[in-house]
Structure formats: C-alpha cells, structure tokens
Amino acid sequence: MDYRFLLNLTIILLSTKVLGLVTRKFHMPQVVGALLAGVIMGPAVSGTLHETEFLDKLAEIGVIVLMFCAGLETDTKELKKSGKSAFIIALIGVIVPLLGGFAVAYFFNRPGMIASDASCSLFLQNMFIGVILTATSVSITAETLKEIGKIKTHSGNAILGAAIIDDVLGIIALTIITSTTDPNVNLFAVLLKIAAFFVFSAIGGVLIYKAYSRWSNNAERGLQRHAIAAFSLCLLMSYIAEHFFGVADITGAYIAGVIISNTQKSQFLTSKFDTLSYLLLSPVFFASIGLKVELPPMTPAIVLFAVLLTLTAILTKVIGCGIGAKLCGYKNYQSIRIGVGMISRGEVALIVAGKGQQLGLLSGDFLGPVVLVVIITTIITPIILKPVFRLGPSVPFTETRLGENYEEVSKYR
C-alpha cells in the first residue's frame, strides 16, 4: 500500500495554515493563504503535490461540509426576505458576464488574433466563454463570510442566496449550449429535473425539519447522535441533488444545512462541523483548487486576452449583481458587497471549462486565460470582500438588540 497520501495531507495542512497566518498578518482572510498554498505546492509552481483521486474525493467532501456549515449559519428569516431579490441579482449577474465574455471572445477569437482549434462554430465558442464567466464559486465567499462573521447579515444572505441560484442558472446556460453539440443532452428534461429538485427540497425539507425537531427535542443525552444524523442528511441531500436531479451536490448540502438551522441543536452542530472542516476538510478543498492550476505557454495576444477577460470577469459581476441589488432596494454599500461577493469563479469555472474542451467548445489556447481568471478572481474576492464589509454605517449588534429589535437593526447589515 502506498502511504504517500499521509505525506500529502501533512504538506497541505501545514502549508495552508502557515500561509493562512501570513495572509492574516496582512489583514486578509486566511482562505487566501490556503488557495496560495495549493498554487505554490501544485504543478503551476513547485510541483510538490499533484491531484490524486484520494485528494479529489476528500476535497469534494470538504466543499460539501463547508456549504452545509454555511446553511447551518444562514438566517432563514433573512433568506426568505431576500429570495426574490436573490433571483433578480443572480439573473442579472449571469446575463451581464455572459454578454461581456462573449464580447471579449468575439474580438480575440478570429484569424490574425488567436487561432482556435475547437471543432464548434466561432459563435458557440464565444458564447461558451461567456458561460464560463457566469459561474460563481459560492464556497470561497461562504468561507470568507464565515471567517469575518458576516454570514448572518442582510448582504451575506443575499450573496449566498444569489450564488446558489447563480449555480442553477449556470447549469441551465451550460445545458443550453452543450445541447447544441451533444445529442444526448435533452434541454427540457434537464429543466424539468431542476424544477423537480426544488419542489422536492421544499416538501421534503418541511417533513425532515418536523421529524428531526421532534426527535432532537425529546433527546437530551447523546448529542453525538445528532451530529451523525445531521451529517447523514447532508451527504444524502448532496447525493440526491447530483444523482437524481443533476443539480450541484453543494446545493443539496446547503439546503440540508438550512433545514437543520432552525432546530434547537443547530449551535451544537455548527461547532462540531466547524471543527471537522477546520482541521481537515477545508484546507484540503482550498488547496485542491490550486492543484488544478496548470498554465500553458502564453503568447502576447493570449496574455492581453487574459488581462481583458479577467477585468471583464471582475467588473461584470460587480456591475451586474450590483445593479440587481440596487433594483431590489439595497443601499449602495450593500450592493457593492453583493457584487464583490459574487466575483469568485473558483473550481466551478474549471469544471465548466473542462466540459467545454471535451465537447469542442473551448480551444486549448483559451484554456490558459480561463485558468488565470479562476486564479485571480478566486484570490482577490476574499481580499476585497473583507474591506467592503466595513462600508456603510457602523451599528453595534448584541444578542439583546437583535432579539428585541431585529427588524430595525437588520436593515443596516
């Protein structure tokens, strides 16, 4: 048996923690250090670590637990109030990057600029680059919001809600464009399955909540069993979402967390899963994103394309989601927070790009710039997110104030 995986885990845990502490010294979230650790240890820089099936599976569990924790810490009252707003923010936050990515690709993807070797038409190739820019990595933002203690805020709930809806809209956009090249993709069936998942989540969520609440309220001893039951629900919802409905597993995990968040044992469960995530799963997940990064040779035209595509990726999310937030009545500083919170593309864009390359929708020459977009947007999002949450009025929050006058105080958050 090869025990190399033990050494790999040791390197990941130590490097992510050391670089996390370094980034914290510079007043940046520790998640930035974890991402940098993966890039430095991975094939893009030192080549010390490489992707393995074990690390990939552990990283998948890591992001599932991370999103489950985000669901546990979500303020369901705020989430209900921001539901309509989250949809509008996500919709505009998908349309604007889609058009922006298409425009940049249209200018560069032609003879004399960057020669494409993809098999599909130029129009579909350009549209696909726009689809890549629609992606949002909710996991990066969720971890940063947790770290700075801003998940249970008006802006934080809007970001999480919009990012989850963004994932669904991204799946729809990806399905539409891949259906033009893959005859096995049935667009109507995919849309029907997505709708069915949310119906299932709504009905099943109510039933699970009632059953779990009744069971947990009558059981004061053996709290460990509640953690096991909650974790089982998290994994089951993740499996059901991905396997039966074609929705991202992290969406199922987040919904499972939201279901449990209103039970009496939610604080106990949050502490248990935060420990599990902090000790092992989160470092492996964030480092694994860096391990996926491999930069191909870059020509001057490709470098220029990469720069413009990165700027487009950043600005279109901030502008698109910011406009959506303003239309929904959010204040300027809240709109900026929401726009910045949606910048990160993370592993989602890499997965989409890989799918497009398989189907002939993305040329190999364009993969390098896409990877750069992923790296830069993933790293700068937590860096910018922390200071933008300092914008706006400073309101002292205490449990008493929130309990007695929640509606008045929450509008400033």
Side-chain angles (χ1 to χ4, degrees):
M1 183 177 179
D2 185 4
Y3 290 94
R4 170 76 187 184
F5 72 95
L6 297 176
L7 178 60
N8 291 344
L9 283 179
T10 303
I11 294 172
I12 287 173
L13 293 177
L14 290 176
S15 62
T16 53
K17 188 58 187 174
V18 169
L19 283 173
L21 291 174
V22 170
T23 52
R24 191 172 71 175
K25 288 286 185 182
F26 290 93
H27 306 289
M28 293 185 292
Q30 292 192 55
V31 64
V32 177
L35 292 166
L36 288 174
V39 174
I40 293 170
M41 295 297 170
V45 181
S46 68
T48 304
L49 298 174
H50 295 274
E51 285 186 273
T52 65
E53 184 178 358
F54 170 74
L55 289 179
D56 283 344
K57 298 298 183 186
L58 199 58
E60 190 63 28
I61 297 174
V63 70
I64 286 171
V65 170
L66 193 158
M67 290 309 301
F68 180 66
C69 291
L72 281 174
E73 296 184 39
T74 296
D75 189 323
T76 52
K77 291 182 180 178
E78 280 291 332
L79 189 63
K80 289 177 182 177
K81 288 196 297 183
S82 63
K84 181 181 178 182
S85 300
F87 178 78
I88 295 172
I89 291 167
L91 182 62
I92 301 178
V94 163
I95 293 173
V96 176
L98 177 66
L99 297 177
F102 175 84
V104 175
Y106 179 81
F107 180 78
F108 282 92
N109 190 15
R110 54 193 172 90
M113 293 296 288
I114 302 175
S116 173
D117 59 1
S119 58
C120 293
S121 68
L122 289 179
F123 175 79
L124 288 177
Q125 292 177 45
N126 298 337
M127 284 296 295
F128 184 75
I129 290 177
V131 169
I132 293 174
L133 294 197
T134 66
T136 295
S137 179
V138 62
S139 54
I140 307 295
T141 300
E143 179 67 14
T144 306
L145 290 173
K146 281 180 59 182
E147 190 175 327
I148 63 178
K150 299 296 183 181
I151 277 190
K152 289 190 175 182
T153 63
H154 200 41
S155 305
N157 276 280
I159 291 170
L160 289 179
I164 292 294
I165 296 170
D166 185 289
D167 277 349
V168 175
L169 295 177
I171 292 172
I172 294 172
L174 180 62
T175 303
I176 290 172
I177 194 165
T178 54
S179 64
T180 61
T181 60
D182 188 350
N184 296 320
V185 175
N186 187 319
L187 178 59
F188 177 76
V190 171
L191 297 179
L192 188 63
K193 286 167 69 176
I194 291 173
F197 170 73
F198 286 100
V199 172
F200 166 80
S201 298
I203 298 173
V206 172
L207 296 176
I208 292 170
Y209 168 75
K210 289 182 177 179
Y212 186 89
S213 296
R214 187 179 298 112
W215 172 67
S216 62
N217 292 342
N218 295 328
E220 295 300 327
R221 292 184 177 183
L223 290 178
Q224 287 79 2
R225 75 184 72 168
H226 299 289
I228 294 172
F231 195 20
S232 299
L233 174 63
C234 165
L235 297 176
L236 181 62
M237 285 293 290
S238 300
Y239 174 78
I240 289 173
E242 189 77 57
H243 183 74
F244 292 106
F245 298 99
V247 177
D249 51 9
I250 59 174
T251 303
Y254 179 76
I255 290 174
V258 172
I259 292 170
I260 302 296
S261 66
N262 286 319
T263 64
Q264 289 186 355
K265 303 297 188 294
S266 61
Q267 289 188 338
F268 167 79
L269 294 174
T270 299
S271 66
K272 289 294 184 183
F273 283 99
D274 277 346
T275 302
L276 174 64
S277 182
Y278 175 80
L279 282 178
L280 176 64
L281 298 177
S282 286
V284 173
F285 166 64
F286 290 116
S288 72
I289 295 176
L291 296 182
K292 296 179 187 294
V293 174
E294 292 187 52
L295 293 176
M298 307 286 277
T299 65
I302 292 178
V303 170
L304 180 59
F305 172 69
V307 171
L308 291 178
L309 190 66
T310 302
L311 290 174
T312 302
I314 295 169
L315 293 176
T316 51
K317 276 294 183 183
V318 174
I319 293 171
C321 296
I323 290 173
K326 282 296 293 179
L327 290 175
C328 296
Y330 286 87
K331 300 181 185 300
N332 289 335
Y333 68 89
Q334 293 173 322
S335 300
I336 295 172
R337 290 174 180 177
I338 293 167
V340 170
M342 300 287 283
I343 289 175
S344 175
R345 301 316 198 270
E347 78 291 349
V348 179
L350 290 176
I351 293 169
V352 173
K355 178 71 173 177
Q357 204 172 20
Q358 292 174 5
L359 296 173
L361 286 163
L362 184 68
S363 169
D365 288 335
F366 288 101
L367 184 61
V370 168
V371 170
L372 280 177
V373 168
V374 171
I375 296 172
I376 295 171
T377 58
T378 299
I379 290 175
I380 70 164
T381 299
I383 293 175
I384 303 175
L385 197 60
K386 188 174 181 179
V388 298
F389 262 88
R390 298 195 189 106
L391 299 175
S394 178
V395 181
F397 293 102
T398 63
E399 290 184 7
T400 302
R401 283 196 68 186
L402 286 176
E404 294 176 353
N405 202 12
Y406 178 82
E407 293 296 332
E408 180 182 341
V409 176
S410 65
K411 64 183 179 183
Y412 294 108
R413 302 173 71 190

